Amino acid sequence: MSTHTPHEDRDLARKTAEALSYLHGFGNLHSSEAMAGALPDGNHAPQRPPLGLYTEQISGSAFTEPRGGNRHSWMYRIRPSAQHGAFRRIGGGGFHGLADAEIEMNRSMWSPLPDPAPGTDFVSGMWPLGGNGDPAERTGMAVYLYAANTSMKDKVFSDSDGELLITPQAGELLVHTEFGPLHVKVGDVALIPRGVRFQVELLDVSARGYVAENFGRPLVLPELGPLGANGMANPEDFRAPTAAYDEVERPVEVIVKYCGELWGSVYDHSPLDVVAWHGNHVPYVYDLNRFQTVGTLTYDHTDPSVFTILTSPTDTPGVPNMDFLAPNWRWSVAEDTFRPQYYHRNISTEIYGVIKAPPGRTGVYGAPGSISVQNMMTPHGVVPEADSAATQAELRPERIDGHLMCAYETRLPLKFTRQALDSERRHPDYDSLWQGFERRFGR
């Protein structure tokens, strides 16, 4: 156990985070070893792996998935993952609550989470907003907010139901994974693949943010089509960790989310003991500010799908299980155009989390830390004041800056947890934002 103060622990962790090196390229077949000679040479599962390690493969796709979509990694670890006692259902933790979720048609917004109780870590600080689909059927997604003030100590988590997108809104994270650590800053998003074990260490006194859980097919970069070879999120900007192993020889609690429930077991060692690895089923961190925005240069507002960073495809081309978007700074130059997003009703459900916003500008999406949902076919758009300003503005090139959001679009309506529907943080008068439009017809 650490003999340092919490402040000293955070300082040490920050120095570790700032010194990390990464591998680059989304979907690449990466290789990394924390000790020279740990990776086998010539085959994946030799009779006697180097350095007395154990060979293990983790598959994020079916064995027979076509090569372009196949996700798997070989790991060379101090002990195999099979060395553990029975898992048992456990209570607590914010991942509960989705089983009894309910449909709510109305537009909804929630204020930021309050400060958590002392001793709240990333797992216990999860607050489920809602979800859809079925993790056992590998379809749909879920959305959470998190608020934590304690690092995960001798605790490791993994999600067998899907992959996780962790987007901090406040407070930096050092995420220790089986493949190595990731430094996740405000303005970043971390992708943790299905089944990969990890531990979240706080680099600040507290942390809060958003988590999306993708039950469907693994997230990929969207196709660029007529855009050609460049634009949107560039593969080389995704950073994968380099190997770093944990030799902890003491009890470690391992929590697994499995078919919507939390299960726990106590290991006599840390499962983050991978000394070397090779594959493409790996975690990533991505700086949202590196996104190369695409938009109109002439007239009309381009559909928000151009902000898509990652997408989970389905068997129906062009209909994703979920998209992850991040509307960021950009230039607006369209002529004779209502420049804000036009009023619309969408077959998809839109979910917006605010990472940062200019002071005093909250509007439809709320203050930083808020989250809003426009469910399937729910009318939405800008409020009357913004409409009036947009229709009367002298149109000249304008840099839209000072804000950053993360957004999720999903093909199914979102069902909300009971605690979300009953929460005092839910805005009861959200619909009032769209009242008071003046009648202009005939003028």
PDB file of all heavy atoms in Angstrom, residues 344-381:
ATOM      1  N   HIS A 344     -35.438  20.215 -36.678  1.00  0.00           N
ATOM      2  CA  HIS A 344     -35.582  18.901 -37.287  1.00  0.00           C
ATOM      3  C   HIS A 344     -36.142  17.874 -36.304  1.00  0.00           C
ATOM      4  O   HIS A 344     -36.115  18.061 -35.093  1.00  0.00           O
ATOM      5  CB  HIS A 344     -34.247  18.422 -37.868  1.00  0.00           C
ATOM      6  CG  HIS A 344     -33.153  18.247 -36.861  1.00  0.00           C
ATOM      7  ND1 HIS A 344     -32.582  19.279 -36.180  1.00  0.00           N
ATOM      8  CD2 HIS A 344     -32.499  17.129 -36.429  1.00  0.00           C
ATOM      9  CE1 HIS A 344     -31.638  18.837 -35.379  1.00  0.00           C
ATOM     10  NE2 HIS A 344     -31.571  17.542 -35.501  1.00  0.00           N
ATOM     11  N   ARG A 345     -36.670  16.824 -36.890  1.00  0.00           N
ATOM     12  CA  ARG A 345     -37.061  15.617 -36.198  1.00  0.00           C
ATOM     13  C   ARG A 345     -36.275  14.480 -36.832  1.00  0.00           C
ATOM     14  O   ARG A 345     -36.228  14.360 -38.046  1.00  0.00           O
ATOM     15  CB  ARG A 345     -38.574  15.377 -36.320  1.00  0.00           C
ATOM     16  CG  ARG A 345     -39.410  16.369 -35.535  1.00  0.00           C
ATOM     17  CD  ARG A 345     -40.878  16.247 -35.871  1.00  0.00           C
ATOM     18  NE  ARG A 345     -41.150  16.748 -37.225  1.00  0.00           N
ATOM     19  CZ  ARG A 345     -42.291  16.516 -37.866  1.00  0.00           C
ATOM     20  NH1 ARG A 345     -43.232  15.766 -37.317  1.00  0.00           N
ATOM     21  NH2 ARG A 345     -42.472  17.013 -39.070  1.00  0.00           N
ATOM     22  N   ASN A 346     -35.688  13.655 -35.991  1.00  0.00           N
ATOM     23  CA  ASN A 346     -34.692  12.697 -36.460  1.00  0.00           C
ATOM     24  C   ASN A 346     -35.109  11.279 -36.076  1.00  0.00           C
ATOM     25  O   ASN A 346     -35.544  11.047 -34.941  1.00  0.00           O
ATOM     26  CB  ASN A 346     -33.337  13.052 -35.815  1.00  0.00           C
ATOM     27  CG  ASN A 346     -32.189  12.284 -36.437  1.00  0.00           C
ATOM     28  OD1 ASN A 346     -32.383  11.431 -37.292  1.00  0.00           O
ATOM     29  ND2 ASN A 346     -30.988  12.582 -35.982  1.00  0.00           N
ATOM     30  N   ILE A 347     -34.981  10.333 -36.997  1.00  0.00           N
ATOM     31  CA  ILE A 347     -35.290   8.947 -36.669  1.00  0.00           C
ATOM     32  C   ILE A 347     -34.330   8.397 -35.622  1.00  0.00           C
ATOM     33  O   ILE A 347     -34.648   7.458 -34.892  1.00  0.00           O
ATOM     34  CB  ILE A 347     -35.281   8.063 -37.939  1.00  0.00           C
ATOM     35  CG1 ILE A 347     -35.940   6.721 -37.659  1.00  0.00           C
ATOM     36  CG2 ILE A 347     -33.856   7.897 -38.474  1.00  0.00           C
ATOM     37  CD1 ILE A 347     -36.179   5.880 -38.884  1.00  0.00           C
ATOM     38  N   SER A 348     -33.146   8.992 -35.519  1.00  0.00           N
ATOM     39  CA  SER A 348     -32.182   8.611 -34.488  1.00  0.00           C
ATOM     40  C   SER A 348     -32.411   9.437 -33.225  1.00  0.00           C
ATOM     41  O   SER A 348     -33.040  10.493 -33.251  1.00  0.00           O
ATOM     42  CB  SER A 348     -30.752   8.815 -34.984  1.00  0.00           C
ATOM     43  OG  SER A 348     -30.471   7.988 -36.085  1.00  0.00           O
ATOM     44  N   THR A 349     -31.894   8.943 -32.116  1.00  0.00           N
ATOM     45  CA  THR A 349     -31.923   9.658 -30.843  1.00  0.00           C
ATOM     46  C   THR A 349     -30.602  10.382 -30.659  1.00  0.00           C
ATOM     47  O   THR A 349     -29.536   9.815 -30.910  1.00  0.00           O
ATOM     48  CB  THR A 349     -32.162   8.669 -29.690  1.00  0.00           C
ATOM     49  OG1 THR A 349     -33.480   8.115 -29.820  1.00  0.00           O
ATOM     50  CG2 THR A 349     -32.029   9.350 -28.347  1.00  0.00           C
ATOM     51  N   GLU A 350     -30.658  11.645 -30.228  1.00  0.00           N
ATOM     52  CA  GLU A 350     -29.468  12.471 -30.055  1.00  0.00           C
ATOM     53  C   GLU A 350     -29.243  12.753 -28.571  1.00  0.00           C
ATOM     54  O   GLU A 350     -30.170  13.138 -27.858  1.00  0.00           O
ATOM     55  CB  GLU A 350     -29.617  13.783 -30.817  1.00  0.00           C
ATOM     56  CG  GLU A 350     -29.823  13.600 -32.314  1.00  0.00           C
ATOM     57  CD  GLU A 350     -29.987  14.919 -33.038  1.00  0.00           C
ATOM     58  OE1 GLU A 350     -29.572  15.961 -32.489  1.00  0.00           O
ATOM     59  OE2 GLU A 350     -30.548  14.921 -34.145  1.00  0.00           O
ATOM     60  N   ILE A 351     -27.998  12.567 -28.129  1.00  0.00           N
ATOM     61  CA  ILE A 351     -27.620  12.762 -26.727  1.00  0.00           C
ATOM     62  C   ILE A 351     -26.397  13.657 -26.707  1.00  0.00           C
ATOM     63  O   ILE A 351     -25.397  13.356 -27.377  1.00  0.00           O
ATOM     64  CB  ILE A 351     -27.304  11.411 -26.056  1.00  0.00           C
ATOM     65  CG1 ILE A 351     -28.473  10.428 -26.249  1.00  0.00           C
ATOM     66  CG2 ILE A 351     -26.987  11.598 -24.580  1.00  0.00           C
ATOM     67  CD1 ILE A 351     -28.063   8.985 -26.206  1.00  0.00           C
ATOM     68  N   TYR A 352     -26.463  14.761 -25.939  1.00  0.00           N
ATOM     69  CA  TYR A 352     -25.375  15.731 -25.925  1.00  0.00           C
ATOM     70  C   TYR A 352     -24.851  15.942 -24.506  1.00  0.00           C
ATOM     71  O   TYR A 352     -25.632  16.220 -23.589  1.00  0.00           O
ATOM     72  CB  TYR A 352     -25.836  17.075 -26.486  1.00  0.00           C
ATOM     73  CG  TYR A 352     -25.990  17.096 -27.988  1.00  0.00           C
ATOM     74  CD1 TYR A 352     -27.199  16.747 -28.587  1.00  0.00           C
ATOM     75  CD2 TYR A 352     -24.928  17.450 -28.810  1.00  0.00           C
ATOM     76  CE1 TYR A 352     -27.347  16.751 -29.970  1.00  0.00           C
ATOM     77  CE2 TYR A 352     -25.067  17.458 -30.188  1.00  0.00           C
ATOM     78  CZ  TYR A 352     -26.278  17.112 -30.766  1.00  0.00           C
ATOM     79  OH  TYR A 352     -26.416  17.110 -32.126  1.00  0.00           O
ATOM     80  N   GLY A 353     -23.541  15.813 -24.344  1.00  0.00           N
ATOM     81  CA  GLY A 353     -22.876  16.164 -23.098  1.00  0.00           C
ATOM     82  C   GLY A 353     -21.975  17.363 -23.333  1.00  0.00           C
ATOM     83  O   GLY A 353     -21.266  17.426 -24.341  1.00  0.00           O
ATOM     84  N   VAL A 354     -22.003  18.337 -22.419  1.00  0.00           N
ATOM     85  CA  VAL A 354     -21.239  19.572 -22.572  1.00  0.00           C
ATOM     86  C   VAL A 354     -19.917  19.443 -21.830  1.00  0.00           C
ATOM     87  O   VAL A 354     -19.896  19.270 -20.605  1.00  0.00           O
ATOM     88  CB  VAL A 354     -22.030  20.785 -22.053  1.00  0.00           C
ATOM     89  CG1 VAL A 354     -21.241  22.070 -22.298  1.00  0.00           C
ATOM     90  CG2 VAL A 354     -23.401  20.860 -22.715  1.00  0.00           C
ATOM     91  N   ILE A 355     -18.807  19.522 -22.555  1.00  0.00           N
ATOM     92  CA  ILE A 355     -17.479  19.487 -21.944  1.00  0.00           C
ATOM     93  C   ILE A 355     -17.051  20.895 -21.539  1.00  0.00           C
ATOM     94  O   ILE A 355     -16.594  21.118 -20.417  1.00  0.00           O
ATOM     95  CB  ILE A 355     -16.465  18.862 -22.915  1.00  0.00           C
ATOM     96  CG1 ILE A 355     -16.888  17.427 -23.251  1.00  0.00           C
ATOM     97  CG2 ILE A 355     -15.056  18.881 -22.315  1.00  0.00           C
ATOM     98  CD1 ILE A 355     -16.065  16.779 -24.350  1.00  0.00           C
ATOM     99  N   LYS A 356     -17.195  21.845 -22.440  1.00  0.00           N
ATOM    100  CA  LYS A 356     -16.928  23.237 -22.095  1.00  0.00           C
ATOM    101  C   LYS A 356     -17.834  24.133 -22.919  1.00  0.00           C
ATOM    102  O   LYS A 356     -18.299  23.748 -24.001  1.00  0.00           O
ATOM    103  CB  LYS A 356     -15.462  23.598 -22.311  1.00  0.00           C
ATOM    104  CG  LYS A 356     -15.007  23.581 -23.759  1.00  0.00           C
ATOM    105  CD  LYS A 356     -13.554  24.048 -23.876  1.00  0.00           C
ATOM    106  CE  LYS A 356     -13.102  24.096 -25.340  1.00  0.00           C
ATOM    107  NZ  LYS A 356     -11.721  24.596 -25.482  1.00  0.00           N
ATOM    108  N   ALA A 357     -18.108  25.329 -22.389  1.00  0.00           N
ATOM    109  CA  ALA A 357     -18.962  26.299 -23.067  1.00  0.00           C
ATOM    110  C   ALA A 357     -18.544  27.688 -22.637  1.00  0.00           C
ATOM    111  O   ALA A 357     -18.048  27.879 -21.514  1.00  0.00           O
ATOM    112  CB  ALA A 357     -20.433  26.051 -22.732  1.00  0.00           C
ATOM    113  N   PRO A 358     -18.715  28.699 -23.508  1.00  0.00           N
ATOM    114  CA  PRO A 358     -18.386  30.072 -23.105  1.00  0.00           C
ATOM    115  C   PRO A 358     -19.211  30.480 -21.891  1.00  0.00           C
ATOM    116  O   PRO A 358     -20.367  30.067 -21.750  1.00  0.00           O
ATOM    117  CB  PRO A 358     -18.768  30.898 -24.347  1.00  0.00           C
ATOM    118  CG  PRO A 358     -18.749  29.924 -25.477  1.00  0.00           C
ATOM    119  CD  PRO A 358     -19.187  28.616 -24.892  1.00  0.00           C
ATOM    120  N   PRO A 359     -18.650  31.275 -20.982  1.00  0.00           N
ATOM    121  CA  PRO A 359     -19.379  31.714 -19.789  1.00  0.00           C
ATOM    122  C   PRO A 359     -20.706  32.376 -20.157  1.00  0.00           C
ATOM    123  O   PRO A 359     -20.780  33.193 -21.069  1.00  0.00           O
ATOM    124  CB  PRO A 359     -18.429  32.716 -19.132  1.00  0.00           C
ATOM    125  CG  PRO A 359     -17.070  32.327 -19.612  1.00  0.00           C
ATOM    126  CD  PRO A 359     -17.280  31.817 -21.013  1.00  0.00           C
ATOM    127  N   GLY A 360     -21.753  31.966 -19.448  1.00  0.00           N
ATOM    128  CA  GLY A 360     -23.068  32.565 -19.657  1.00  0.00           C
ATOM    129  C   GLY A 360     -23.842  32.023 -20.840  1.00  0.00           C
ATOM    130  O   GLY A 360     -24.974  32.427 -21.064  1.00  0.00           O
ATOM    131  N   ARG A 361     -23.233  31.110 -21.609  1.00  0.00           N
ATOM    132  CA  ARG A 361     -23.923  30.558 -22.780  1.00  0.00           C
ATOM    133  C   ARG A 361     -24.245  29.087 -22.514  1.00  0.00           C
ATOM    134  O   ARG A 361     -23.406  28.213 -22.667  1.00  0.00           O
ATOM    135  CB  ARG A 361     -23.052  30.702 -24.031  1.00  0.00           C
ATOM    136  CG  ARG A 361     -22.900  32.145 -24.510  1.00  0.00           C
ATOM    137  CD  ARG A 361     -21.987  32.232 -25.712  1.00  0.00           C
ATOM    138  NE  ARG A 361     -22.485  31.442 -26.834  1.00  0.00           N
ATOM    139  CZ  ARG A 361     -21.801  31.296 -27.981  1.00  0.00           C
ATOM    140  NH1 ARG A 361     -20.605  31.866 -28.116  1.00  0.00           N
ATOM    141  NH2 ARG A 361     -22.309  30.574 -28.954  1.00  0.00           N
ATOM    142  N   THR A 362     -25.464  28.845 -22.071  1.00  0.00           N
ATOM    143  CA  THR A 362     -25.891  27.470 -21.790  1.00  0.00           C
ATOM    144  C   THR A 362     -26.904  27.015 -22.829  1.00  0.00           C
ATOM    145  O   THR A 362     -26.659  26.106 -23.588  1.00  0.00           O
ATOM    146  CB  THR A 362     -26.477  27.372 -20.373  1.00  0.00           C
ATOM    147  OG1 THR A 362     -27.539  28.329 -20.237  1.00  0.00           O
ATOM    148  CG2 THR A 362     -25.413  27.670 -19.338  1.00  0.00           C
ATOM    149  N   GLY A 363     -28.066  27.695 -22.892  1.00  0.00           N
ATOM    150  CA  GLY A 363     -29.044  27.408 -23.939  1.00  0.00           C
ATOM    151  C   GLY A 363     -29.572  25.997 -23.885  1.00  0.00           C
ATOM    152  O   GLY A 363     -29.827  25.429 -22.826  1.00  0.00           O
ATOM    153  N   VAL A 364     -29.728  25.402 -25.070  1.00  0.00           N
ATOM    154  CA  VAL A 364     -30.375  24.098 -25.212  1.00  0.00           C
ATOM    155  C   VAL A 364     -29.589  22.993 -24.523  1.00  0.00           C
ATOM    156  O   VAL A 364     -30.162  22.051 -23.983  1.00  0.00           O
ATOM    157  CB  VAL A 364     -30.560  23.772 -26.706  1.00  0.00           C
ATOM    158  CG1 VAL A 364     -31.070  22.356 -26.897  1.00  0.00           C
ATOM    159  CG2 VAL A 364     -31.515  24.772 -27.354  1.00  0.00           C
ATOM    160  N   TYR A 365     -28.259  23.095 -24.490  1.00  0.00           N
ATOM    161  CA  TYR A 365     -27.438  21.989 -24.021  1.00  0.00           C
ATOM    162  C   TYR A 365     -27.036  22.100 -22.557  1.00  0.00           C
ATOM    163  O   TYR A 365     -26.543  21.143 -21.980  1.00  0.00           O
ATOM    164  CB  TYR A 365     -26.192  21.859 -24.898  1.00  0.00           C
ATOM    165  CG  TYR A 365     -26.533  21.656 -26.348  1.00  0.00           C
ATOM    166  CD1 TYR A 365     -26.271  22.646 -27.298  1.00  0.00           C
ATOM    167  CD2 TYR A 365     -27.139  20.487 -26.783  1.00  0.00           C
ATOM    168  CE1 TYR A 365     -26.593  22.457 -28.634  1.00  0.00           C
ATOM    169  CE2 TYR A 365     -27.464  20.286 -28.120  1.00  0.00           C
ATOM    170  CZ  TYR A 365     -27.197  21.280 -29.036  1.00  0.00           C
ATOM    171  OH  TYR A 365     -27.518  21.089 -30.357  1.00  0.00           O
ATOM    172  N   GLY A 366     -27.205  23.263 -21.935  1.00  0.00           N
ATOM    173  CA  GLY A 366     -26.895  23.403 -20.528  1.00  0.00           C
ATOM    174  C   GLY A 366     -25.450  23.764 -20.262  1.00  0.00           C
ATOM    175  O   GLY A 366     -24.635  23.969 -21.164  1.00  0.00           O
ATOM    176  N   ALA A 367     -25.113  23.842 -18.973  1.00  0.00           N
ATOM    177  CA  ALA A 367     -23.768  24.191 -18.523  1.00  0.00           C
ATOM    178  C   ALA A 367     -22.841  22.991 -18.663  1.00  0.00           C
ATOM    179  O   ALA A 367     -23.288  21.849 -18.819  1.00  0.00           O
ATOM    180  CB  ALA A 367     -23.828  24.652 -17.075  1.00  0.00           C
ATOM    181  N   PRO A 368     -21.516  23.214 -18.625  1.00  0.00           N
ATOM    182  CA  PRO A 368     -20.586  22.081 -18.653  1.00  0.00           C
ATOM    183  C   PRO A 368     -20.922  21.057 -17.580  1.00  0.00           C
ATOM    184  O   PRO A 368     -21.184  21.398 -16.424  1.00  0.00           O
ATOM    185  CB  PRO A 368     -19.228  22.752 -18.397  1.00  0.00           C
ATOM    186  CG  PRO A 368     -19.387  24.123 -18.972  1.00  0.00           C
ATOM    187  CD  PRO A 368     -20.800  24.516 -18.656  1.00  0.00           C
ATOM    188  N   GLY A 369     -20.946  19.799 -17.971  1.00  0.00           N
ATOM    189  CA  GLY A 369     -21.337  18.726 -17.073  1.00  0.00           C
ATOM    190  C   GLY A 369     -22.782  18.300 -17.241  1.00  0.00           C
ATOM    191  O   GLY A 369     -23.187  17.267 -16.713  1.00  0.00           O
ATOM    192  N   SER A 370     -23.575  19.096 -17.967  1.00  0.00           N
ATOM    193  CA  SER A 370     -24.972  18.746 -18.215  1.00  0.00           C
ATOM    194  C   SER A 370     -25.067  17.708 -19.326  1.00  0.00           C
ATOM    195  O   SER A 370     -24.113  17.494 -20.081  1.00  0.00           O
ATOM    196  CB  SER A 370     -25.771  19.987 -18.621  1.00  0.00           C
ATOM    197  OG  SER A 370     -25.754  20.970 -17.618  1.00  0.00           O
ATOM    198  N   ILE A 371     -26.249  17.099 -19.420  1.00  0.00           N
ATOM    199  CA  ILE A 371     -26.502  16.175 -20.513  1.00  0.00           C
ATOM    200  C   ILE A 371     -27.953  16.328 -20.944  1.00  0.00           C
ATOM    201  O   ILE A 371     -28.832  16.569 -20.115  1.00  0.00           O
ATOM    202  CB  ILE A 371     -26.202  14.712 -20.107  1.00  0.00           C
ATOM    203  CG1 ILE A 371     -26.150  13.803 -21.339  1.00  0.00           C
ATOM    204  CG2 ILE A 371     -27.180  14.199 -19.052  1.00  0.00           C
ATOM    205  CD1 ILE A 371     -25.514  12.452 -21.080  1.00  0.00           C
ATOM    206  N   SER A 372     -28.198  16.285 -22.243  1.00  0.00           N
ATOM    207  CA  SER A 372     -29.547  16.463 -22.776  1.00  0.00           C
ATOM    208  C   SER A 372     -29.838  15.378 -23.795  1.00  0.00           C
ATOM    209  O   SER A 372     -28.928  14.836 -24.431  1.00  0.00           O
ATOM    210  CB  SER A 372     -29.714  17.847 -23.408  1.00  0.00           C
ATOM    211  OG  SER A 372     -28.787  18.034 -24.461  1.00  0.00           O
ATOM    212  N   VAL A 373     -31.123  15.065 -23.946  1.00  0.00           N
ATOM    213  CA  VAL A 373     -31.555  13.993 -24.847  1.00  0.00           C
ATOM    214  C   VAL A 373     -32.741  14.474 -25.661  1.00  0.00           C
ATOM    215  O   VAL A 373     -33.715  15.008 -25.108  1.00  0.00           O
ATOM    216  CB  VAL A 373     -31.946  12.724 -24.059  1.00  0.00           C
ATOM    217  CG1 VAL A 373     -32.395  11.625 -25.027  1.00  0.00           C
ATOM    218  CG2 VAL A 373     -30.793  12.230 -23.208  1.00  0.00           C
ATOM    219  N   GLN A 374     -32.648  14.312 -26.974  1.00  0.00           N
ATOM    220  CA  GLN A 374     -33.779  14.502 -27.873  1.00  0.00           C
ATOM    221  C   GLN A 374     -34.082  13.127 -28.476  1.00  0.00           C
ATOM    222  O   GLN A 374     -33.367  12.657 -29.356  1.00  0.00           O
ATOM    223  CB  GLN A 374     -33.463  15.524 -28.973  1.00  0.00           C
ATOM    224  CG  GLN A 374     -33.489  16.970 -28.507  1.00  0.00           C
ATOM    225  CD  GLN A 374     -32.231  17.357 -27.766  1.00  0.00           C
ATOM    226  OE1 GLN A 374     -31.136  16.949 -28.133  1.00  0.00           O
ATOM    227  NE2 GLN A 374     -32.367  18.144 -26.710  1.00  0.00           N
ATOM    228  N   ASN A 375     -35.111  12.489 -27.929  1.00  0.00           N
ATOM    229  CA  ASN A 375     -35.430  11.132 -28.356  1.00  0.00           C
ATOM    230  C   ASN A 375     -35.964  11.109 -29.786  1.00  0.00           C
ATOM    231  O   ASN A 375     -36.323  12.147 -30.358  1.00  0.00           O
ATOM    232  CB  ASN A 375     -36.431  10.499 -27.396  1.00  0.00           C
ATOM    233  CG  ASN A 375     -35.839   9.295 -26.660  1.00  0.00           C
ATOM    234  OD1 ASN A 375     -34.960   8.612 -27.172  1.00  0.00           O
ATOM    235  ND2 ASN A 375     -36.332   9.017 -25.470  1.00  0.00           N
ATOM    236  N   MET A 376     -36.057   9.918 -30.346  1.00  0.00           N
ATOM    237  CA  MET A 376     -36.487   9.707 -31.719  1.00  0.00           C
ATOM    238  C   MET A 376     -37.709  10.545 -32.078  1.00  0.00           C
ATOM    239  O   MET A 376     -38.720  10.538 -31.389  1.00  0.00           O
ATOM    240  CB  MET A 376     -36.826   8.225 -31.906  1.00  0.00           C
ATOM    241  CG  MET A 376     -37.359   7.866 -33.260  1.00  0.00           C
ATOM    242  SD  MET A 376     -38.042   6.189 -33.306  1.00  0.00           S
ATOM    243  CE  MET A 376     -39.504   6.377 -32.290  1.00  0.00           C
ATOM    244  N   MET A 377     -37.611  11.295 -33.179  1.00  0.00           N
ATOM    245  CA  MET A 377     -38.695  12.094 -33.758  1.00  0.00           C
ATOM    246  C   MET A 377     -39.190  13.214 -32.840  1.00  0.00           C
ATOM    247  O   MET A 377     -40.262  13.757 -33.064  1.00  0.00           O
ATOM    248  CB  MET A 377     -39.866  11.206 -34.180  1.00  0.00           C
ATOM    249  CG  MET A 377     -39.580  10.380 -35.424  1.00  0.00           C
ATOM    250  SD  MET A 377     -39.204  11.446 -36.850  1.00  0.00           S
ATOM    251  CE  MET A 377     -38.809  10.228 -38.110  1.00  0.00           C
ATOM    252  N   THR A 378     -38.395  13.565 -31.837  1.00  0.00           N
ATOM    253  CA  THR A 378     -38.755  14.689 -30.981  1.00  0.00           C
ATOM    254  C   THR A 378     -38.270  15.973 -31.636  1.00  0.00           C
ATOM    255  O   THR A 378     -37.078  16.113 -31.934  1.00  0.00           O
ATOM    256  CB  THR A 378     -38.100  14.547 -29.596  1.00  0.00           C
ATOM    257  OG1 THR A 378     -38.480  13.289 -29.029  1.00  0.00           O
ATOM    258  CG2 THR A 378     -38.538  15.664 -28.676  1.00  0.00           C
ATOM    259  N   PRO A 379     -39.142  16.959 -31.881  1.00  0.00           N
ATOM    260  CA  PRO A 379     -38.715  18.198 -32.545  1.00  0.00           C
ATOM    261  C   PRO A 379     -37.709  18.971 -31.685  1.00  0.00           C
ATOM    262  O   PRO A 379     -37.877  19.095 -30.467  1.00  0.00           O
ATOM    263  CB  PRO A 379     -40.018  18.994 -32.697  1.00  0.00           C
ATOM    264  CG  PRO A 379     -41.110  17.998 -32.538  1.00  0.00           C
ATOM    265  CD  PRO A 379     -40.589  16.962 -31.599  1.00  0.00           C
ATOM    266  N   HIS A 380     -36.677  19.492 -32.316  1.00  0.00           N
ATOM    267  CA  HIS A 380     -35.709  20.307 -31.580  1.00  0.00           C
ATOM    268  C   HIS A 380     -34.950  21.220 -32.539  1.00  0.00           C
ATOM    269  O   HIS A 380     -35.041  21.091 -33.759  1.00  0.00           O
ATOM    270  CB  HIS A 380     -34.744  19.444 -30.772  1.00  0.00           C
ATOM    271  CG  HIS A 380     -34.014  18.408 -31.570  1.00  0.00           C
ATOM    272  ND1 HIS A 380     -34.592  17.242 -32.010  1.00  0.00           N
ATOM    273  CD2 HIS A 380     -32.720  18.362 -32.001  1.00  0.00           C
ATOM    274  CE1 HIS A 380     -33.715  16.514 -32.671  1.00  0.00           C
ATOM    275  NE2 HIS A 380     -32.567  17.178 -32.691  1.00  0.00           N
ATOM    276  N   GLY A 381     -34.237  22.145 -31.961  1.00  0.00           N
ATOM    277  CA  GLY A 381     -33.502  23.165 -32.697  1.00  0.00           C
ATOM    278  C   GLY A 381     -33.179  24.302 -31.748  1.00  0.00           C
ATOM    279  O   GLY A 381     -33.293  24.151 -30.522  1.00  0.00           O
TER     280      GLY A 381
END
